[in-house]
């Protein structure tokens, strides 16, 4: 098996997986059910930003940038995980019907490469769907606000949603190594709840709750590290460097607050690094683990 | 003696700590170029054995290797030496035969030129070239079986693992299909296939391993198996008595022609040798022991009974 054959196989399997996902009625339905409310919320936030604000709370009163921050930090992490989790469920249902993994992982290419092709295709599928929803949300917000958020913040928002989606979809595929489709549906909910609840709970435990709730001061050392505990926190970390200081959400790097600066940088990089780690874990699991029980 | 290309030693498989044994201490070798069959009824352990050999399932105990590659340690790379056609594989029904074959060729990383040549060769050698543009849903069962075989053959592997490749075929299709297996043998392929009927394996296999409830016999040469099965032919007789079933079983065990005595829960089950077992003798023995017989019925032999008898005979 040559390197060329492996690369060709990975490229084809990624394309094939993406085609199967993007033509799945079930998946499109799930993405629509959770995508439309996201777009509507974005439109509402854009409209309510028109009043203008003097303080830092509520954040959406700070114009289009503030409205996008509210969407990115408040609503997108709640609604968008449905897309990657729905994708993993859709894959599980298709696999159960066709015995596709048995065929795929017994081909002449090494299993890790077949798994890589598959996971790349799934991440691409998830990314396309999330970009459509997130892009439409930005467009709706801009339309309602009468102005677009800053380009850097929009790019960071789209990047964060992609990181969030990739984390969930790879985690879903890892769960499917040991779970049945119906069990995945049940485990998805606690996973989602954990990612929504762990971060604020961690902030409470860290004694920072009162500082954060009214968004009066910068997020510093302890809460920044607490972001590493959840997919949501890590996705927010992607946006942090692009958030306007007036949002009061992040602390800029500072030699005075070295701990806060390290935490700030770590959280910003953590999301993509964790995606890479989860992908490697998936490849190792498919290569080394049996596919049946 | 040529070194075995497939080596299985004491493979056992239990699903869950308290589950039934799907395979119990199965041992056999397959020589290069051999056509080797697994014969057994549904639930006998054939598919479990295939899935272990393909590296999809871990054995609970024992070891197995394909072309010197341990199926557990090298499970990520076994595809390099074997082509596996699972029983449950479902080809996409709305795509054409050539499209499905081309897709799997691309999944195997074949270049455009190699892919076209290989797909063309396989369609031709398996008599599918006239059906290349037909959707899978419109293909006959025999055509779908040949397509599954073509997918397994795409990268020309030395070993083929085919789980019930002849399921659902008519006798005429079976005969035609056996011709293709003959070509594989001529090409030096090692082929392992399974079936629930001896008639399916007989024209194709050099040797056959019989499986019943996870236990296996030693592999028999096909002609020898036919001979042994002939000897092992027996009938089943169900006897219902009033009271003292254990006593009745003891009496029946000593009746001439009775090979085994079992219990179905509702009746005593006898495995008997036709010609030697006489119903009147059994009835007289029970009457003499003071046991009243409610009914005594004979039933047709089934494959599982034959295989079970062979397995038990070897165990003793």
């Amino acid at each position: 098996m040559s390197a060329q054959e492996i690369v060709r196989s990975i490229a084809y399997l990624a394309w094939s997986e993406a085609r199967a996902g993007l033509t799945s009625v079930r998946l499109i339905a799930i993405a629509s059910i959770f995508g439309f409310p996201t777009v509507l919320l974005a439109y509402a936030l854009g409209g309510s930003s028109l009043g203008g604000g003097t303080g830092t709370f509520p954040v959406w009163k700070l114009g289009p940038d503030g409205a996008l921050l509210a969407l990115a930090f408040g609503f997108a992490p709640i609604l968008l995980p449905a897309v990657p989790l729905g994708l993993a469920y859709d894959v599980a249902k298709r696999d159960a019907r066709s015995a596709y993994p048995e065929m795929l992982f017994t081909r002449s290419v090494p299993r890790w490469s077949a798994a890589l092709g598959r996971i790349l295709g799934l991440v691409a599928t998830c990314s396309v769907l999330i970009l459509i929803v997130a892009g439409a949300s930005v467009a709706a917000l801009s339309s309602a606000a009468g102005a677009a958020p800053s380009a850097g913040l929009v790019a960071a928002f789209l990047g964060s949603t992609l990181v969030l989606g990739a984390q969930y979809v790879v985690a879903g595929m890892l769960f499917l190594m040991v779970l049945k489709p119906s069990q995945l549906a049940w485990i998805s909910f606690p996973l989602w709840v954990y990612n929504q609840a762990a971060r604020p709970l961690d902030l409470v435990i860290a004694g920072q709750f009162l500082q954060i709730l009214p968004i009066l001061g910068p997020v510093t050392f302890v809460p920044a590290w607490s972001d590493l505990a959840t997919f949501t926190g890590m996705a927010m970390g992607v946006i942090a460097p692009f958030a306007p200081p007036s949002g009061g959400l992040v602390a800029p790097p500072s030699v005075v607050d070295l701990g806060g600066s390290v935490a700030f940088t770590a959280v910003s990089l953590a999301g993509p690094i964790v995606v890479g780690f989860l992908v490697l874990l998936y490849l190792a699991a498919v290569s080394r683990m049996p596919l049946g029980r | 003696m040529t070194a075995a290309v497939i080596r299985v030693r004491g493979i056992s498989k239990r699903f869950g700590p308290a589950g039934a044994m799907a395979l119990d201490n199965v041992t056999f070798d397959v020589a290069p170029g051999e056509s080797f069959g697994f014969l057994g009824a549904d639930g006998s352990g054939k598919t479990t054995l295939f899935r272990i050999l393909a590296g999809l399932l871990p054995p609970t105990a024992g070891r197995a290797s394909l072309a010197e590659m341990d199926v557990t340690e090298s499970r990520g790379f076994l595809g390099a030496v074997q082509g596996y056609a699972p029983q449950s594989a479902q080809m996409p029904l709305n795509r054409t035969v050539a499209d499905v074959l081309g897709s799997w060729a691309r999944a195997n990383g074949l270049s455009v030129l190699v892919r076209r040549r290989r797909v063309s060769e396989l369609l031709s050698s398996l008599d599918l070239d006239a059906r290349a543009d037909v959707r899978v849903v419109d293909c006959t069962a025999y055509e779908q079986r040949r397509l599954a075989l073509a997918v397994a053959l795409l990268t020309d592997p030395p070993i083929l693992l085919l789980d019930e490749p002849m399921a659902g075929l008519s006798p005429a299709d079976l005969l035609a299909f056996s011709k293709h297996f003959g070509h594989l043998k001529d090409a030096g392929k090692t082929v392992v296939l399974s079936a629930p009927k001896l008639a399916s394996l007989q024209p194709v296999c050099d040797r056959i391993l019989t499986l019943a409830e996870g236990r296996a016999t030693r592999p028999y040469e096909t002609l020898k198996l036919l001979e042994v099965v002939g000897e092992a032919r027996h009938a089943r007789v169900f006897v219902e008595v009033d009271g003292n079933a254990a006593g009745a079983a003891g009496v029946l065990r000593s009746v001439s022609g009775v090979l085994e005595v079992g219990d179905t829960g509702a009746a005593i089950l006898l495995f008997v040798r036709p010609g030697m077992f006489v119903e009147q003798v059994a009835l007289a023995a029970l009457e003499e022991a003071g046991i009243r017989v409610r009914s005594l019925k004979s039933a047709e032999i089934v494959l599982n009974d034959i295989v079970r008898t062979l397995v038990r005979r070897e165990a003793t």
Side-chain angles (χ1 to χ4, degrees):
Chain A
M1 173 67 35
S2 70
Q4 276 182 322
E5 285 176 317
I6 290 175
V7 170
R8 273 197 297 266
S9 171
I10 291 171
Y12 175 72
L13 290 172
W15 179 82
S16 173
E17 198 69 51
R19 184 179 65 170
L22 292 171
T23 53
S24 164
V25 175
R26 177 169 40 217
L27 179 60
I28 301 297
I30 291 171
S32 302
I33 288 168
F34 290 89
F36 277 122
T38 311
V39 176
L40 287 175
L41 276 165
Y43 187 81
L45 285 168
S48 49
S49 73
L50 291 175
T54 53
T56 55
F57 184 81
V59 69
W60 57 84
K61 290 291 184 188
L62 299 173
D65 277 4
L68 185 56
L69 278 178
L71 179 70
F73 280 53
F75 300 106
I78 295 174
L79 292 166
L80 292 184
V83 175
L85 290 172
L87 174 59
Y89 180 75
D90 185 57
V91 166
K93 294 295 278 185
R94 278 190 275 132
D95 284 356
R97 200 176 57 236
S98 65
Y100 179 69
E102 286 194 34
M103 294 284 286
L104 178 64
F105 296 127
T106 52
R107 295 306 97 195
S108 60
V109 290
R111 267 201 208 176
W112 68 261
S113 66
L116 180 58
R118 176 161 235 215
I119 207 74
L120 288 177
L122 292 173
V123 170
T125 306
C126 181
S127 299
V128 168
L129 293 172
I130 280 189
L131 277 180
I132 290 171
V133 174
S137 300
V138 172
L141 185 150
S142 305
S143 161
S150 60
L153 189 59
V154 170
F157 169 63
L158 297 179
S160 79
T161 57
L162 294 184
V163 166
L164 188 69
Q167 285 176 323
Y168 271 102
V169 80
V170 185
M173 292 308 290
L174 274 166
F175 280 126
L176 278 178
M177 294 289 299
V178 290
L179 299 177
K180 296 173 184 170
S182 56
Q183 292 170 325
L184 175 72
W186 283 108
I187 202 81
S188 292
F189 184 66
L191 176 70
W192 176 85
V193 169
Y194 164 77
N195 276 292
Q196 308 310 323
R199 184 171 176 273
L201 280 177
D202 200 9
L203 294 182
V204 172
I205 292 164
Q208 301 293 319
F209 185 69
L210 290 176
Q211 182 186 357
I212 297 305
L213 184 66
I215 316 183
L216 295 173
V219 175
T220 55
F221 183 78
V222 174
W225 284 114
S226 79
D227 281 346
L228 291 171
T230 61
F231 292 166
T232 306
M234 286 184 273
M236 290 175 179
V238 176
I239 308 177
F242 300 91
S246 57
L249 294 172
V250 293
S254 158
V255 290
V256 178
D257 182 11
L258 191 60
S261 296
V262 172
F264 176 84
T265 309
V267 172
S268 298
L269 296 174
I273 289 171
V274 165
V275 170
F277 172 75
L278 289 175
V279 168
L280 288 176
L281 196 61
Y282 177 70
L283 301 190
V286 171
S287 286
R288 298 296 306 164
M289 281 176 63
L291 299 176
R293 286 165 287 279
Chain B
M1 177 76 182
T2 317
V5 71
I6 299 175
R7 190 181 291 271
V8 175
R9 291 288 176 275
I11 286 283
S12 296
K13 178 65 186 175
R14 184 190 290 280
F15 290 99
M21 289 292 272
L23 288 173
D24 187 2
N25 197 25
V26 175
T27 295
F28 64 91
D29 285 340
V30 181
E34 189 175 16
S35 291
F36 193 89
F38 298 153
L39 173 69
D42 290 344
S44 60
K46 304 186 299 292
T47 296
T48 303
L49 192 46
F50 270 117
R51 300 191 78 216
I52 288 173
L53 290 177
L56 295 167
L57 268 184
T60 308
R63 299 189 74 83
S65 64
L66 269 66
E68 307 286 327
M69 296 169 77
D70 187 278
V71 297
T72 304
E73 291 167 8
S74 306
R75 62 166 57 99
F77 302 93
L78 286 173
V81 295
Q82 52 90 3
Y84 174 51
Q87 182 189 1
S88 52
Q90 175 68 62
M91 301 293 176
L93 296 175
N94 285 320
R95 297 171 71 178
T96 67
V97 168
D99 189 23
V100 169
L101 205 48
S103 293
W104 280 112
R106 294 176 76 179
N108 278 304
L110 302 185
S111 66
V112 178
L113 288 177
V114 173
R115 188 169 75 231
R116 284 183 184 155
R117 178 173 54 77
R118 192 71 189 131
V119 167
S120 171
E121 279 173 2
L122 286 168
L123 288 174
S124 170
S125 66
L126 290 166
D127 300 330
L128 283 169
D129 31 12
R131 306 288 286 167
D133 297 323
V134 175
R135 291 187 313 159
V136 172
V137 70
D138 296 321
C139 289
T140 64
Y142 180 36
E143 286 161 351
Q144 291 187 22
R145 293 293 170 192
R146 278 178 286 160
L147 175 58
L149 178 59
V151 171
L153 280 166
L154 266 169
T155 51
D156 204 17
I159 301 170
L160 288 166
L161 304 176
L162 311 172
D163 192 2
E164 299 214 17
M166 294 171 276
L169 299 188
S170 69
D173 290 339
L174 276 176
L175 198 62
F177 209 11
S178 63
K179 178 191 76 176
H180 294 296
F181 285 104
H183 294 157
L184 294 176
K185 188 172 176 57
D186 293 343
K189 302 285 181 202
T190 303
V191 183
V192 181
L193 67 163
S194 65
K197 293 178 182 172
L198 183 53
S200 303
L201 298 177
Q202 183 191 334
V204 176
C205 294
D206 300 318
R207 289 191 304 153
I208 294 171
L209 180 89
T210 56
L211 287 155
E213 292 156 1
R215 291 196 291 172
T217 61
R218 64 183 171 83
Y220 286 90
E221 287 179 12
T222 302
L223 288 176
K224 179 68 179 170
L225 180 64
L226 290 169
E227 195 178 299
V228 171
V229 166
E231 281 177 14
R233 286 177 77 85
H234 55 272
R236 292 183 300 170
V237 177
F238 296 92
V239 183
E240 288 181 305
V241 298
D242 286 333
N244 199 8
V251 171
L252 290 166
R253 197 168 280 120
S254 62
V255 172
S256 173
V258 173
L259 299 170
E260 280 183 52
V261 179
D263 185 3
T264 66
I268 299 165
L269 170 62
L270 307 180
F271 294 100
V272 303
R273 179 155 293 167
M276 287 182 66
F277 177 77
V278 181
E279 288 182 5
Q280 296 308 321
V281 173
L283 289 170
L286 289 169
E287 192 177 333
E288 192 177 322
I291 298 167
R292 187 169 167 275
V293 177
R294 269 188 286 147
S295 69
L296 188 150
K297 294 174 192 163
S298 295
E300 287 181 9
I301 58 165
V302 292
L303 174 73
N304 218 21
D305 295 329
I306 296 172
V307 174
R308 191 161 46 198
T309 304
L310 288 177
V311 170
R312 285 179 184 172
R313 182 191 288 182
E314 290 198 3
T316 55

